[in-house]
Structures are given as C-alpha cells and as structure tokens.
Amino acid sequence: MSDQGTTKTIEGLRGGQSEVVIPRGATLAIQLEGNPATGCAWTADTHDAGVLDLTGSGFEGEAGPGLAGAFVFTFTAKETGTTAVPFTYRRPGELGGHPDPADTFTARITVR
C-alpha cells in the first residue's frame, strides 16, 4: 500500500536521535536548527537509498549573527525497510575524524 501525498515532519535536536515510521510513498521532512553564517551546515550522511530517496535539501530562515533557521532535508519513502540517517553539523571540508556528539543527529526511519 502506498500513501503518496502523506507528509511527516520531524524537528531534530543537536546531539539527539529520533525514530519514525512512515508509509511507503510518503514524504519525510527533517528540520535541523542551524545558522550558515557560522560557516557550518548540516549534511546527511550515508543511508539505505533503497528505502529512502533524498529528494531535496536547503536552508529556511534568516542567516546572520544571532539569527537562526533550519536546514531541511526531504526524503521519499521508496520501499519497506529500516534505515538510519546520520546528520553532522560542521564546516564544509571538515571530513574524517569523529564529530562532537553534540553536532550530530540520527533519524531511524522505518517504511511500512
């Protein structure tokens, strides 16, 4: 069964994690607070692309000193299964090593 048109939004917290169950065909938006004026951005790391398709990402809000908005990642649920999507908040080019746990968020998504 497919529930195209269904949209679920979760607001992730730095250093946190979330579990969500969505139907196949649904859209999932994950919002993570941040400010690109700091030079940092949220990135979605490797996940099972057979279960979820990353269909968009961007920043919503005002960027600047003392201002904040949200980095929004949009996924479409493709097939039944479970995948974890880890996110990291860092400056572009800061790859490798282990990020500070406070600068991470993990969403565990089950598609039914």
Side-chain angles (χ1 to χ4, degrees), residues 10 15 19-20 24 27 38 47 60 66 70-71 75 78 83 92 107:
I10 59 174
E19 292 190 27
V20 63
R24 191 166 48 93
T27 299
T38 65
H47 65 280
E60 296 178 358
F71 290 85
F75 298 88
K78 291 171 59 175
T83 187

Side-chain angles (χ1 to χ4, degrees), residues 41-104:
W42 283 100
T43 56
D45 298 322
T46 305
H47 65 280
D48 186 343
V51 175
L52 286 179
D53 187 21
L54 177 62
T55 56
S57 64
F59 179 78
E60 296 178 358
E62 305 260 346
L67 301 176
F71 290 85
V72 181
F73 296 83
T74 307
F75 298 88
T76 299
K78 291 171 59 175
E79 296 295 332
T80 58
T82 300
T83 187
V85 184
F87 296 88
T88 306
Y89 191 63
R90 62 177 134 204
R91 288 178 176 78
E94 285 184 353
L95 302 175
H98 298 289
D100 183 328
D103 292 332
T104 64

Side-chain angles (χ1 to χ4, degrees), residues 19-33:
E19 292 190 27
V20 63
V21 177
I22 57 175
R24 191 166 48 93
T27 299
L28 174 66
I30 298 176
Q31 300 176 343
L32 298 160
E33 185 177 304

